[in-house]
Amino acid sequence: MRRTARPLTGTALAVAAAALAAAPAYGASAGDVEVYPSSVVPGGQVTVRTAACGDGGTATGDASAVGAGPLSLAPGPHEQDATGRFRVPPSAQPGTYEITATCTGSGRRITGDLVVTLTAGHQQVHPRGSVKTGVGGALGPDPVQTAAGVAALAVAAAGGTWLLHRRARGDGI
């Protein structure tokens, strides 16, 4: 019994230490600024929201790092969140920018990140044209090459059938 208790006690202590180490990291990120969308192209609209200022709280935001300047955050549809909007200037350069907000009542300063990119993340690029895989593409742009490929396959199939037939008869191949 004593041999089993030591490894179990060591395991329990390791799990408790890991839980305590993870708890402050979770608590620190719970009151940060939410930036939506988190990735935007120059000229795009951004919404900033935080619950760190309490129910009905307001805040003063600062998006001057990206060139947008100050903004105000007021209680939105959810009374516990303060929400504000700004437009990223068309001259903004690609990169990661820190968006800050300071709660009006408590003076608490909170931050969030905004990534400016040159291409929108939600737009899909659809390929056009045929795939360049060599001679004989089934839907390629050249019907002569397609016909030559089909003819070569037909000759190979006929030759293979002829050889197998001779072998089955015992003609010496």
Side-chain angles (χ1 to χ4, degrees):
M1 179 75 134
R2 190 174 165 132
R3 289 184 180 176
T4 310
R6 281 190 183 179
L8 289 178
T9 303
T11 303
L13 287 174
V15 169
L20 287 175
Y26 176 76
S29 67
D32 287 346
V33 171
E34 282 184 46
V35 180
Y36 181 80
S38 62
S39 179
V40 68
V41 296
Q45 181 87 11
V46 177
T47 301
V48 178
R49 183 174 66 199
T50 185
C53 298
D55 288 345
T58 61
T60 303
D62 183 17
S64 61
V66 73
L71 67 136
S72 31
L73 283 74
H78 305 287
E79 286 294 318
Q80 68 271 16
D81 293 344
T83 306
R85 289 195 172 120
F86 69 93
R87 184 168 301 281
V88 175
S91 61
Q93 296 297 311
T96 302
Y97 297 93
E98 183 177 69
I99 308 301
T100 62
T102 305
C103 295
T104 304
S106 66
R108 180 177 177 191
R109 185 175 181 270
I110 47 181
T111 62
D113 287 336
L114 172 68
V115 178
V116 176
T117 62
L118 294 179
T119 58
H122 65 277
Q123 293 179 346
Q124 291 183 347
V125 177
H126 298 285
R128 292 190 313 224
S130 62
V131 179
K132 306 296 183 203
T133 59
V135 179
L139 299 173
D142 190 2
V144 174
Q145 289 180 347
T146 303
V150 169
L153 287 174
V155 168
T161 303
W162 179 71
L163 286 174
L164 288 175
H165 181 66
R166 284 193 60 188
R167 176 178 273 181
R169 281 194 339 205
D171 287 344
I173 288 189

